[in-house]
Amino acid sequence: MSEGKARGARRFAALLDWSGTTIGAPDQWPTALQVTWDLALACPLPMALFVGDDHVLLYNDAFAEQLGDRHPHAFGRPASEVVPEVWGGSHLGALFDATMADDRSFLDEGTELRASGDLADDTPILGHFLRTGSPVHDEDGRVIALLHIAVETSSSLDRARTVTGLATALAVAVTVDDVCKVVLRESVSAFGALSVGICLPSPGPGGWRMARRHRIEDLSPDEERLPLIWSEVPEDLADVVSRSLDHGEPYVSDGAELVAVPLRARSTDAAVVVFRESTPLPRDVVAVLSAFTDLVGEALGRAVAYDAERSTAELLQRTLLPPSLPQSDEISIAARYEPVSEGTVAGGDFYDSFFLPDGRLALVIGDVVGRGVMAATVMGQVRAAVRGAAMTDPRPESVMTSLDRVVWDLDALWPASMPLGSTRARPGMAFGGELFVTMLYGTVSPETGVVEVASAGHPVPVLLSGRAARDDGHPRVRLVDMAVGPPLGLSGHRPTHRQLLEVGDMLVIYTDGLIERRDETLDAGEERLLAALADVPPSSPRSVAQLVMEAMVPESGQEDDCAVLTVGRSPVGHRRAAIVVPPMPESVKAARDWAREQLDLWTVDEADQYTIVTGISELITNAVLHAGTESHLTLDLDTGVVAVTVADSGNRGEPLLTGGETMAVRGRGLSLVRAVSDAFGAHRTSAGTTVWFEVEVALADAGVDAGIGVGDRH
């Protein structure tokens, strides 16, 4: 600050050479002007006097702050010379002229002051102000000056806009995680915070857990989509949060560097904790708090109820699905299931795979029409019946015939008060003939690759051809040319189709929720699927299932449940190794050492080993910190790719750290794995969470270990 600024307006006025102005020295002014000037100097609000026809500008210390670098040179000069960019271009000069000429006062609330009179969107905005102007009269009643008060309201307006943005964002925030992300993002600007934390009840010793966001934190879209990382709240801060909730009002520390805002949701208590610079809390912030707490409390209560219902529905759905799928050296199988995006009900989509007594693998995918507990329960019964029928006679036509009888019985025995489809079912009719189940069932021989499959009203699979099949003239992607019979429960013939899976080939089997859209035909959905698979590089069944889901499910979410089952025939040289990792910090190093030993045996290049071991270290660390249960670490070498899978039985949806700085660990480990790998994915099952990644590798003895599949990568 310059010497003139430091002395203040009163001392600066005393030292000014008034002879250089058009209004003369203060002792020559009319009494009313002297009194008004003394009032302005003593007032803490930004006040200025515009004196005479030239509007000579005099102002107090608060107004000098608004002028910035124009002070002190602006003092005693005509306003048109001090702020020419707004005086002539906007209505400011004309307004002041009219006020003095007409001897009337004015009040402008929320005025947007731009750099010129042009109100185009690209005209720079200097700020938003609340402004008043009052004429000053001499002894004869003539207007000799205008007393002007200008209070900048830009920060208040920004906070008000933040509340509006908060309301808009919370309207589409469904889960607790969604609501908390919105609150953290909007609170940083609403309260001018260095960082903001949101606190929810925790089973930990402190009773509270907190997710935090810093003002300097710039998250990528991928990081924004990751679940929040929660840490236990220190005891002193937990006391502040509890005290604010007990009193039902915000807690503000002495220097206002800490503000705790209690939130009363319908079914849970929560709080927002604001970390600020040690400055007085602006009054408009206090005004914003009421609207803020009402909006967030309502949204959080709604989200808690939604999460509870959805967790129950998803648990039911996923418990009825297999926690893992069988694998062999010759056949690899993977699956993905995505529930419907809206609502909290379970669905009827299901998949399964299991070894038959003769060594073949059974493949099952199906869909019970409808949603809710009933559809999921029927789905579980049908899936169990498939296993029973297949163990007796695994031929597709035999299994389908057995399931017809199961569906007939379910249709007759299910309570009539719980219709599955439309409301047309009447008492005594049970499902009223509306129990509708589609299914695709088949078997695959690991030794020969022969698949025998039949469809009961279910979409036909897609075949991804490997290098050998393409060399024989087969297209990269095609629908399997097979007949489709009637759904289960309806009499009819369902022919068995015989298909040979060559080395490198893959079957993609799915439910209709993957391709159905309200605004298009099923044929159009099939074309979208074929186009998406044509762009998928040759890879493992796991990564293909992930990529298909990412490509086919819209960003807004799908309209129905969908499941994908991918089955690939592995090349010669497929290797697998697995260990169980205890939930202890020292397990991370043990897992790295074990992985290096396996990769050495497989002659994986040193640089690729480093990438793989780095990813393993991050995933095992996450499992130890977040899940708290033992993890199953699996390595697969298949088609020149090493696939790493870490499966735990914990809840990764709400990871909880003990101590440590949230900002330092927020999703960075998973982001690193995604960055260094060639494919990455994560999904939940009834058993817990599975995270995996793949790395294309170079082998010292590629011809032996990767077999003919190595060239299939290109």
Side-chain angles (χ1 to χ4, degrees):
M1 181 178 289
S2 67
E3 184 179 355
K5 285 185 181 180
R7 289 174 176 171
R10 185 183 297 275
R11 182 165 178 78
F12 186 79
L15 298 176
L16 183 66
D17 180 8
W18 291 95
S19 63
T21 69
T22 61
I23 61 176
D27 57 4
Q28 299 174 0
W29 295 349
T31 301
L33 185 58
Q34 292 180 9
V35 172
T36 305
W37 174 234
D38 288 339
L39 174 66
L41 288 174
C43 184
L45 291 176
M47 297 182 71
L49 278 168
F50 293 80
V51 186
D53 295 337
D54 293 337
H55 300 296
V56 174
L57 183 57
L58 311 175
Y59 47 82
N60 64 6
D61 293 339
F63 201 93
E65 292 295 327
Q66 291 188 355
L67 288 173
D69 292 339
R70 301 173 197 263
H71 174 70
H73 306 293
F75 200 89
R77 295 176 57 201
S80 59
E81 297 178 9
V82 176
V83 285
E85 70 275 15
V86 296
W87 189 263
S90 70
H91 72 291
L92 190 62
L95 175 64
F96 281 28
D97 285 336
T99 300
M100 295 182 70
D102 298 340
D103 191 9
R104 60 179 173 81
S105 300
F106 72 83
L107 170 63
D108 280 350
E109 298 183 76
T111 299
E112 183 178 86
L113 193 61
R114 292 180 177 267
S116 73
D118 184 3
L119 297 181
D121 291 340
D122 58 351
T123 304
I125 298 175
L126 302 179
H128 296 85
F129 295 84
L130 184 150
R131 304 182 304 169
T132 66
S134 303
V136 179
H137 306 87
D138 63 8
E139 290 80 355
D140 298 328
R142 293 177 303 173
V143 178
I144 57 175
L146 182 70
L147 177 62
H148 181 51
I149 301 175
V151 179
E152 185 170 7
T153 59
S154 298
S155 60
S156 300
L157 184 61
D158 288 344
R159 291 188 178 96
R161 286 174 173 170
T162 297
V163 172
T164 303
L166 178 72
T168 302
L170 288 177
V172 295
V174 177
T175 67
V176 171
D177 194 74
D178 293 339
V179 171
C180 289
K181 287 178 181 177
V182 170
V183 171
L184 292 175
R185 183 175 64 248
E186 300 295 338
S187 296
V188 171
S189 58
F191 302 122
L194 297 174
S195 65
V196 175
I198 186 165
C199 300
L200 295 176
S202 167
W208 293 97
R209 57 191 176 100
M210 180 172 67
R212 192 167 177 177
R213 181 157 185 166
H214 298 250
R215 183 167 66 189
I216 62 172
E217 197 171 8
D218 184 19
L219 300 180
S220 69
D222 281 344
E223 289 167 336
E224 287 279 12
R225 285 191 289 267
L226 290 171
L228 290 172
I229 301 296
W230 298 85
S231 61
E232 289 195 21
V233 176
E235 185 177 352
D236 55 345
L237 184 56
D239 290 341
V240 168
V241 171
S242 299
R243 192 157 60 248
S244 70
L245 280 162
D246 291 342
H247 294 164
E249 59 185 25
Y251 165 87
V252 183
S253 64
D254 292 339
E257 71 276 5
L258 176 64
V259 180
V261 184
L263 303 172
R264 293 288 186 184
R266 282 176 289 177
S267 55
T268 187
D269 289 336
V272 173
V273 181
V274 181
F275 302 89
R276 308 174 60 254
E277 294 178 347
S278 184
T279 58
L281 192 67
R283 292 183 181 273
D284 59 296
V285 168
V286 179
V288 165
L289 286 178
S290 177
F292 179 88
T293 54
D294 289 345
L295 285 170
V296 177
E298 176 64 25
L300 193 58
R302 184 176 65 246
V304 168
Y306 180 91
D307 277 2
E309 294 176 16
R310 188 172 181 85
S311 295
T312 301
E314 285 193 12
L315 179 62
L316 171 62
Q317 176 79 52
R318 296 183 187 280
T319 300
L320 293 172
L321 295 175
S324 61
L325 295 171
Q327 308 287 336
S328 72
D329 288 343
E330 298 86 5
I331 298 292
S332 296
I333 303 177
R336 282 291 308 275
Y337 165 77
E338 288 293 333
V340 66
S341 299
E342 297 180 358
T344 57
V345 294
D349 289 18
F350 65 96
Y351 61 83
D352 202 358
S353 181
F354 48 91
F355 278 108
L356 297 167
D358 60 6
R360 287 183 294 170
L361 276 166
L363 309 172
V364 187
I365 193 165
D367 184 6
V368 177
V369 70
R371 301 177 192 166
V373 174
M374 183 186 59
T377 304
V378 171
M379 175 265 284
Q381 292 174 302
V382 171
R383 178 180 158 233
V386 172
R387 287 199 171 216
M391 290 299 176
T392 302
D393 185 348
R395 293 175 302 149
E397 60 271 23
S398 174
V399 171
M400 295 288 188
T401 300
S402 297
L403 289 175
D404 276 336
R405 290 192 291 268
V406 171
V407 173
W408 291 335
D409 290 342
L410 288 173
D411 184 75
L413 295 176
W414 198 266
S417 59
M418 299 181 68
L420 182 65
S422 71
T423 58
R424 294 196 305 271
R426 299 187 301 275
M429 291 183 62
F431 284 133
E434 293 183 4
L435 179 53
F436 191 80
V437 182
T438 69
M439 191 185 74
L440 188 142
Y441 167 84
T443 63
V444 56
S445 169
E447 291 80 11
T448 65
V450 172
V451 177
E452 294 183 340
V453 62
S455 170
H458 202 83
V460 299
V462 176
L463 179 64
L464 288 178
S465 298
R467 188 183 65 181
R470 295 199 302 275
D471 289 345
D472 290 338
H474 293 290
R476 165 68 176 144
V477 181
R478 59 188 172 95
L479 292 171
V480 174
D481 186 12
M482 59 179 289
V484 176
L488 298 177
L490 299 177
S491 299
H493 180 52
R494 305 175 186 100
T496 297
H497 175 77
R498 186 181 178 89
Q499 179 75 45
L500 176 64
L501 277 186
E502 302 280 1
V503 171
D505 286 354
M506 191 180 305
L507 276 180
V508 179
I509 312 170
Y510 53 92
T511 58
D512 57 10
L514 188 71
I515 60 174
E516 278 188 341
R517 299 292 181 270
R518 294 178 184 176
D519 57 349
E520 68 179 21
T521 64
L522 281 178
D523 288 342
E526 288 179 345
E527 291 299 323
R528 282 191 299 106
L529 176 60
L530 292 175
L533 286 170
D535 292 335
V536 171
S539 189
S540 71
R542 183 185 292 108
S543 61
V544 169
Q546 173 87 9
L547 292 170
V548 166
M549 280 294 190
E550 291 177 354
M552 294 296 292
V553 174
E555 291 185 3
S556 58
Q558 72 274 18
E559 301 167 358
D560 193 7
D561 299 59
C562 59
V564 173
L565 187 69
T566 50
V567 184
R569 189 176 179 195
S570 304
V572 177
H574 178 210
R575 307 290 184 85
R576 166 169 293 161
I579 59 168
V580 176
V581 182
M584 298 181 294
E586 54 268 29
S587 297
V588 178
K589 181 179 183 303
R592 288 198 303 259
D593 293 343
W594 173 83
R596 286 194 186 95
E597 181 179 348
Q598 296 300 321
L599 296 172
D600 279 337
L601 289 174
W602 296 347
T603 68
V604 175
D605 179 77
E606 185 68 28
D608 293 329
Q609 282 196 34
Y610 177 80
T611 300
I612 295 167
V613 171
T614 298
I616 289 173
S617 180
E618 295 295 341
L619 295 190
I620 296 297
T621 298
N622 274 351
V624 170
L625 288 175
H626 301 166
T629 64
E630 66 181 20
S631 303
H632 295 262
L633 169 61
T634 304
L635 297 180
D636 280 281
L637 174 62
D638 189 353
T639 321
V641 172
V642 170
V644 178
T645 305
V646 175
D648 62 56
S649 54
N651 183 356
R652 198 173 298 270
E654 294 185 348
L656 182 64
L657 300 181
T658 302
E661 173 55 51
T662 301
M663 185 180 177
V665 297
R666 180 192 164 102
R668 299 304 191 259
L670 296 182
S671 295
L672 174 61
V673 176
R674 185 189 296 271
V676 302
S677 62
D678 296 303
F680 171 86
H683 61 277
R684 284 188 293 165
T685 68
S686 59
T689 301
T690 298
V691 185
W692 59 270
F693 68 93
E694 294 180 350
V695 177
E696 294 187 36
V697 298
L699 306 176
D701 192 4
V704 174
D705 285 336
I708 62 175
V710 174
D712 202 34
R713 300 289 303 174
H714 304 289

